[in-house]
Amino acid sequence: MTLGELVEVLGGKLAQGNPEWEVEGVSSSARACSFHLVFAEDAASAAKALARSSGIVVLQAGLVDSYPPDYCIVEADQPRLWFARAALLLKPVLPTIGVHPTAVIGEGAELGENVTVGPCAVIGEYAQIGAGTRIEAGAIIGEGVRIGDNCRIYPRAVLYPGTKLGNRVIVHAGAVLGADGFGYVRDSATGAYTQFPQQGTLLIEDDVEIGANSTIDRGALKQTKIGRGTKMDNLVHVGHNCEIGEDVILVTGVGISGSCTVGNGAVIAGQVGIGDHAHIGPGVILGGQAGVLSGKTVTNEGLGVKPGTVLWGTPARPLKQVLRELAVLARLAKKGSGVRDQGSGNRD
């Protein structure tokens, strides 16, 4: 694409340079050539980006006093976002190769136009695969699964029956979608466990990305749902009957127990644990290793903090509060240690 075409699609202002300049891709400042796009968010990164002999740089207006010659400069309010969107537009389109001879396609399965099915992949009976979707090597698509347009299912991912994906969903290698939830009923007389019925469904809405080796259970008697635009890191688990809102971030190691809800725009950092039937409000940020107890509701309003405040600890509460509590405990521990030392001296 030309630089002018990128600006026309993504907005911003071409402050300097030739709109017909071909952009071949994106790169870091250290590795970019004159046909690569780089970005700068502050004065230091701008100086680094503009230290080469020539190139294409996207940055905020007013970040530097003047632009060196031989540079193409795009001014944008959010340079990192502009850069990321440009990278998607410049990414090479993978060729459509059709159905590999070793793939297995079940009876009644429907494949849309330009679908790719890789080696040893399995498409179950009556599954529906939307146009432009790629099913990579060894992936398993269960009976009756529905996958929308332009999705990508990476190698060895498994989609159980009862799973439905929207459009442009990415499922990375080893992810398992729609498995049985962890639900059992205990016999009070014998102590033996019997599985509670796990016969619900799983809905993944448009533009969701699911990291490698992550797992999402289907509902027990109803539906598990992952909202539009949500992004899940590797090794995340979402239990049965959960409802995750739109544009939620779930970082690696997060474990969400069954029947929880997470509001739109929440950020759940690494290794956070959430007990069953808990409710996380919109925009809540749970810091790394925070814990939410079963049945609890965590909202910014309920804790009297502004949206965007980081919550931490177990039970999760505002980070500033946790740090104050830790400081008090440290002072008490130090004081207690002094008392013990003094007492020991008196006994001698």
Side-chain angles (χ1 to χ4, degrees):
M1 295 183 69
T2 67
L3 187 55
E5 288 171 336
L6 282 175
V7 172
E8 183 177 356
V9 173
L10 300 176
K13 175 186 176 183
L14 181 58
Q16 178 176 296
N18 181 5
E20 299 302 318
W21 193 263
E22 288 289 336
V23 186
E24 295 181 352
V26 300
S27 185
S28 65
S29 297
R31 303 181 62 182
C33 73
S34 58
F35 298 98
H36 285 159
L37 175 70
V38 301
F39 75 98
E41 290 189 296
D42 53 37
S45 59
K48 187 176 181 180
L50 296 171
R52 299 175 294 126
S53 59
S54 64
I56 314 164
V57 182
V58 55
L59 43 64
Q60 282 186 328
L63 201 57
V64 297
D65 294 333
S66 61
Y67 301 126
D70 301 323
Y71 273 86
C72 294
I73 303 293
V74 176
E75 294 177 345
D77 293 335
Q78 301 181 74
R80 178 184 288 266
L81 179 61
W82 201 98
F83 177 88
R85 288 174 173 170
L88 291 176
L89 292 174
L90 295 167
K91 189 175 182 180
V93 177
L94 295 173
T96 300
I97 62 172
V99 178
H100 193 273
T102 61
V104 177
I105 310 297
E107 179 183 354
E110 299 179 11
L111 276 58
E113 295 183 358
N114 301 319
V115 166
T116 292
V117 182
C120 300
V122 176
I123 311 295
E125 295 181 354
Y126 305 105
Q128 298 179 15
I129 313 297
T133 287
R134 297 182 67 88
I135 311 296
E136 304 288 2
I140 309 295
I141 310 302
E143 179 182 348
V145 168
R146 297 175 61 185
I147 299 177
D149 298 341
N150 299 309
C151 295
R152 188 168 188 185
I153 313 300
Y154 277 87
R156 297 183 297 102
V158 178
L159 279 61
Y160 278 60
T163 299
K164 179 181 178 181
L165 274 58
N167 301 320
R168 300 175 300 280
V169 174
I170 299 173
V171 181
H172 285 279
V176 178
L177 308 183
D180 285 1
F182 192 74
Y184 295 88
V185 181
R186 186 174 185 270
D187 186 329
S188 58
T190 67
Y193 288 91
T194 298
Q195 185 186 48
F196 189 82
Q198 302 294 315
Q199 60 192 39
T201 59
L202 169 61
L203 172 62
I204 311 290
E205 293 189 336
D206 295 348
D207 300 304
V208 170
E209 184 161 359
I210 299 167
N213 294 319
S214 292
T215 55
I216 307 174
D217 294 340
R218 69 176 182 265
L221 300 177
K222 53 181 183 178
Q223 173 182 264
T224 299
K225 178 182 175 182
I226 310 297
R228 180 206 54 77
T230 285
K231 312 299 181 186
M232 294 173 53
D233 200 353
N234 304 330
L235 298 167
V236 169
H237 174 68
V238 177
H240 63 276
N241 296 344
C242 286
E243 184 165 339
I244 310 300
E246 299 181 356
D247 297 314
V248 172
I249 294 294
L250 302 175
V251 183
T252 189
V254 166
I256 302 179
S257 301
S259 301
C260 291
T261 63
V262 178
N264 295 344
V267 176
I268 315 296
Q271 297 185 341
V272 167
I274 301 176
D276 61 280
H277 295 84
H279 305 285
I280 311 301
V284 167
I285 301 175
L286 292 174
Q289 296 188 331
V292 177
L293 304 180
S294 296
K296 295 296 182 181
T297 296
V298 178
T299 65
N300 290 317
E301 295 79 5
L303 293 169
V305 298
K306 296 179 180 179
T309 299
V310 176
L311 309 178
W312 199 53
T314 303
R317 53 209 187 276
L319 177 58
K320 289 183 179 180
Q321 177 183 336
V322 175
L323 295 177
R324 287 196 299 268
E325 292 169 356
L326 292 175
V328 170
L329 288 173
R331 288 195 295 270
L332 288 173
K334 185 176 181 180
K335 182 178 179 180
S337 176
V339 170
R340 287 195 299 272
D341 292 343
Q342 182 179 5
S344 175
N346 291 336
R347 285 194 299 271
D348 291 342

